[in-house]
Amino acid sequence: MEMEGASGSHNRSYRPAEGEGEEGENTKEHMYHAIHKVPCGDGPYVRAKHAQLVEKDPEAAIVWFWKAINGGDRVESALKDMAVVMKQVDRSEEAIEAIKSFRNRCPSQAQDSIDNVLLDLYKKCGKMEEQIALLKQKLRQIYEGKMFNGRPTKTARSHGKKFQVSVKQETARILGSLSWAYMQMSNFMAAEVIYRKAQMIDADSNKACNLAYCLIKQSRYDEARSLLEQVSSGGYPGWEDPKIKIRAESLMTELDAVQPPCFLQDLPGMDLEDDFVNGLDRLIAEWGPPRSKRLPIFEQLTPFRDDDEGESPDVDKS
């Protein structure tokens, strides 16, 4: 894969105006880099970050990121940052090929974070099979003790804040992502099994909602309703998140559309079908004792389980 050419129009000055004296200049330059979060230096990577963060010119940033990668200037950061920018401008397929071609130039301790960028790109492109394969590979690394380069935790970053992630938390996260990928492929049985394993490790409301969705798709309405009620009542961490509340309410509405609440399922007279009305007429004519009759439509919606439904699908746990 060849580097894109850089035109002279992108070789602009990005340094702040000089201050009076060396001390004033250093102060202004420090403030400039702190405000714009642009690293110090004068190489192609710094120019790429300036184009990305200051000029807001993603195409120019990609050009300079390519120069940084081919010139050996902070290759790991350049490759990951370029992939992020490419994703923003709908060049995710190109970003995938770039990572595959140049990740061998990055150190071994950087491969895990590069995998995470690649997974995000697979998700963006709808490449579910590739995503599943990579997630299984990461699970295998955990099993072999290779995750986090053998350390029990790693430092992660989100929204500019650093925090520690344990192997246990990372395992649950990967299982959740694997379940989501199976869910996108409409393999709801496999997704359910893996979501349950993820919940056993590190339960939260988001995975509980996704598990409820899998159950709904398998017509296991009572189990789904019970799970959603637990989420709404604060039974899982993260239930107070407004997005989770909206998600749970949406799933409950979807559930109500296919199955009425249990206290309504056995009430007669909910729908005046011809067979039901004729049956009532015969009962009245014969002066027989009244008896409850479940309507056919509700019989069809009653949850049921096959004898072998409790068996887990054959899912690769590697």
Side-chain angles (χ1 to χ4, degrees):
M1 181 176 292
E2 297 182 356
M3 176 197 73
E4 294 187 10
S7 64
S9 61
H10 298 308
N11 191 14
R12 295 187 284 252
S13 174
Y14 54 90
R15 292 181 176 178
E18 293 186 1
E20 296 181 359
E22 184 177 350
E23 183 178 350
E25 181 179 351
N26 291 337
T27 301
K28 282 192 173 184
E29 186 167 347
H30 175 75
M31 290 178 61
Y32 172 85
H33 290 293
I35 292 173
H36 296 289
K37 298 181 180 179
V38 176
C40 298
D42 194 28
Y45 178 73
V46 174
R47 293 178 181 271
K49 295 302 290 184
H50 180 268
Q52 176 192 3
L53 301 174
V54 181
E55 297 176 354
K56 308 296 183 183
D57 188 344
E59 295 298 338
I62 291 172
V63 169
W64 284 110
F65 280 132
W66 271 124
K67 289 180 70 70
I69 292 169
N70 284 277
D73 182 15
R74 309 188 198 186
V75 176
E76 174 193 345
S77 297
L79 183 59
K80 292 189 291 187
D81 290 347
M82 184 179 72
V84 171
V85 175
M86 283 182 167
K87 178 186 172 186
Q88 294 171 348
V89 294
D90 294 325
R91 294 170 62 178
S92 296
E93 295 276 1
E94 185 179 348
I96 291 172
E97 293 305 316
I99 288 179
K100 289 181 177 180
S101 299
F102 291 95
R103 66 180 305 167
N104 62 341
R105 299 190 184 185
C106 303
S108 58
Q109 60 266 27
Q111 298 303 317
D112 181 57
S113 60
I114 292 175
D115 281 342
N116 291 334
V117 175
L118 194 56
L119 284 169
D120 196 38
L121 292 168
Y122 283 151
K123 184 176 179 180
K124 173 73 172 180
C125 297
K127 295 179 176 292
M128 294 298 108
E129 292 183 358
E130 291 86 346
Q131 187 179 358
I132 288 173
L134 184 51
L135 287 167
K136 287 182 177 180
Q137 177 182 314
K138 291 175 76 68
L139 288 172
R140 186 176 297 109
Q141 290 174 351
I142 292 176
Y143 177 77
E144 294 173 352
K146 297 178 181 178
M147 184 61 66
F148 303 167
N149 298 302
R151 297 190 301 269
T153 62
K154 75 171 182 177
T155 301
R157 188 188 301 270
S158 178
H159 304 292
K161 297 181 179 180
K162 294 183 179 180
F163 57 94
Q164 293 295 312
V165 177
S166 67
V167 173
K168 176 181 176 181
Q169 291 171 320
E170 182 70 359
T171 302
R173 187 190 69 81
I174 294 173
L175 287 172
S177 297
L178 183 58
S179 304
W180 185 91
Y182 276 118
M183 196 166 64
Q184 302 312 301
M185 298 180 70
S186 297
N187 190 342
F188 299 109
M189 292 183 68
E192 176 205 345
V193 170
I194 303 172
Y195 268 130
R196 290 192 184 280
K197 292 183 179 296
Q199 288 292 74
M200 291 172 62
I201 298 172
D202 188 20
D204 63 49
S205 294
N206 181 54
K207 291 194 290 288
C209 286
N210 288 337
L211 176 56
Y213 179 78
C214 293
L215 294 172
I216 291 173
K217 288 301 182 180
Q218 296 179 75
S219 301
R220 291 159 61 183
Y221 304 126
D222 288 339
E223 293 176 72
R225 187 179 298 277
S226 174
L227 197 57
L228 291 173
E229 288 174 349
Q230 291 180 52
V231 172
S232 300
S233 62
Y236 293 96
W239 67 275
E240 68 281 358
D241 186 335
K243 293 182 180 179
I244 294 296
K245 292 182 178 180
I246 293 173
R247 171 70 167 156
E249 291 172 0
S250 175
L251 286 171
M252 191 66 82
T253 299
E254 180 179 346
L255 184 56
D256 289 340
V258 294
Q259 181 203 36
C262 59
F263 61 85
L264 293 178
Q265 291 183 33
D266 293 321
L267 292 180
M270 293 296 294
D271 190 345
L272 297 180
E273 295 182 351
D274 291 340
D275 290 343
F276 180 73
V277 174
N278 292 335
L280 284 180
D281 289 341
R282 287 194 296 271
L283 287 175
I284 295 174
E286 297 173 5
W287 294 99
R291 58 188 178 88
S292 174
K293 182 174 181 180
R294 181 183 291 228
L295 300 182
I297 186 172
F298 293 138
E299 289 288 354
Q300 295 173 6
L301 294 176
T302 301
F304 64 91
R305 297 184 62 144
D306 296 332
D307 293 337
D308 60 347
E309 189 172 340
E311 297 179 359
S312 300
D314 188 10
V315 179
D316 186 358
K317 301 181 180 60
S318 61

